[in-house]
Structure formats: structure tokens, C-alpha cells
Amino acid sequence: MQTPDRFYPIVDSVAWVDRLVRCGVRTVQLRAKELDHADAVAMIRAALAITLPADVQLIVNDYWQAAIDAGAGHLHLGQEDLAEADLTAIRNAGLTLGVSTHDEAELETALAARPDYVALGPIWPTTLKVMRFAPQGLERISEWKRRLGATPLIAIGGVTLERAPDVFAAGADSIAVVSDVTMNADPEARVAAWLAFAGHGA
């Protein structure tokens, strides 16, 4: 993949993927939970049917075997999923790989997998889910970027459009957004504002 776009949303359904592709996003991550293999494959294939014709990058979260079987091109793994994944099979299938990190040990684990990008979060407190890690803050972004060098760094967690300039200034290459889009009263308008800010607007 090319470096993930400077802004991309993370959503939990094909309906959201379709909605966001219509808004003009160039990268979207599909993160659904508690699916069996067959349902995961079906969901990924349905999402690819939307993203591929539009030349939009679809990043599949967690379901590495389903991503391979569905013909996806991009994968994102959390630390627990990374520990169980067959990295050789993932690479042989041609998938790019991103990995979530929350502390030094997880960064070392991620780097050992030779990821195409590394995600750091949560940058600020998030209401999306209970996090066992404290907010990372802007200084950690700068620290991680120094460690990563040319490897892209994705910031996630509590990032709003209003906070985005500080996140980029700290060294992040990209921002992944969940609630600032999906819980916004007007998601289409919010996405348009993000795209304009990030340089992907029409």
C-alpha cells in the first residue's frame, strides 16, 4: 500500500464503508467484532466490492485468515491477534501489515513483525471503549516517530479535527478516526472537513 492517507475512518459495517466511500475517503478500516470465519469473509468481500472499483484502500482489522481468503490487500492487527497470526502466510498472500502499539514492549513486538506502519493510541481519552492503557499524549507521538524513522506512524484515540494540527505537528503521518466521524451529527460534513484539512478534498 501507499502510506495510509493522512486521515482515514475506522468503521464496523459494510454500510459505513459504502457511506464513507461516497464521501470521498481514500482509505477506510473495517473493524467488526465477534464474527466467525465465514461471516468475516463475507463482510470483507462485500466491502471490497465497494472499495476496489472506487480505488479505495480497505484495511481489514484482526481477521487475518479471512482477509487472505477474501482477497484483501491490507491488514491491521492488535497485539493479541499479532501473537496468533501466521505472518508468513500474511506476507505470502501479499497483504500489507499495520500493528497497534500502546507501550515500549508492544512497539518492540510490532517492529519485530516488520510492519508497513505502526499505530499508537489512545492519544487522548476515548469514550469508545475502556482502555487499559493511559492516554499517550503528543510527546509519545514524537518519541515513537523518532524510533520508527521512515515507517509511517498512525495516531488514534480521542483525536478530533480540532486536535489534528497538534497531532501532525508532533510527528504523526496519519490519523485514524472513529467517533469523531461515526458519532458526529453530520458525518458527511465532518468527513468533508477532514478531507479538506488533510489535503484530500475535491
Side-chain angles (χ1 to χ4, degrees), residues 8-22:
Y8 67 91
I10 299 177
V11 294
D12 63 0
S13 71
V14 174
W16 264 114
V17 171
D18 183 56
R19 188 173 178 180
L20 293 168
V21 167
R22 293 173 187 273

Side-chain angles (χ1 to χ4, degrees), residues 187-199:
E188 282 78 9
R190 193 62 163 177
V191 168
W194 267 104
L195 291 174
F197 167 76

Side-chain angles (χ1 to χ4, degrees), residues 77-85 106 132:
L77 296 177
Q79 293 281 321
E80 293 179 1
D81 298 288
L82 178 64
E84 300 173 356
E106 290 192 350
R132 61 191 180 93

Side-chain angles (χ1 to χ4, degrees), residues 72-98:
H74 312 293
L75 180 68
H76 184 95
L77 296 177
Q79 293 281 321
E80 293 179 1
D81 298 288
L82 178 64
E84 300 173 356
D86 185 336
L87 294 180
T88 299
I90 291 167
R91 292 302 189 186
N92 287 345
L95 275 78
T96 62
L97 176 64

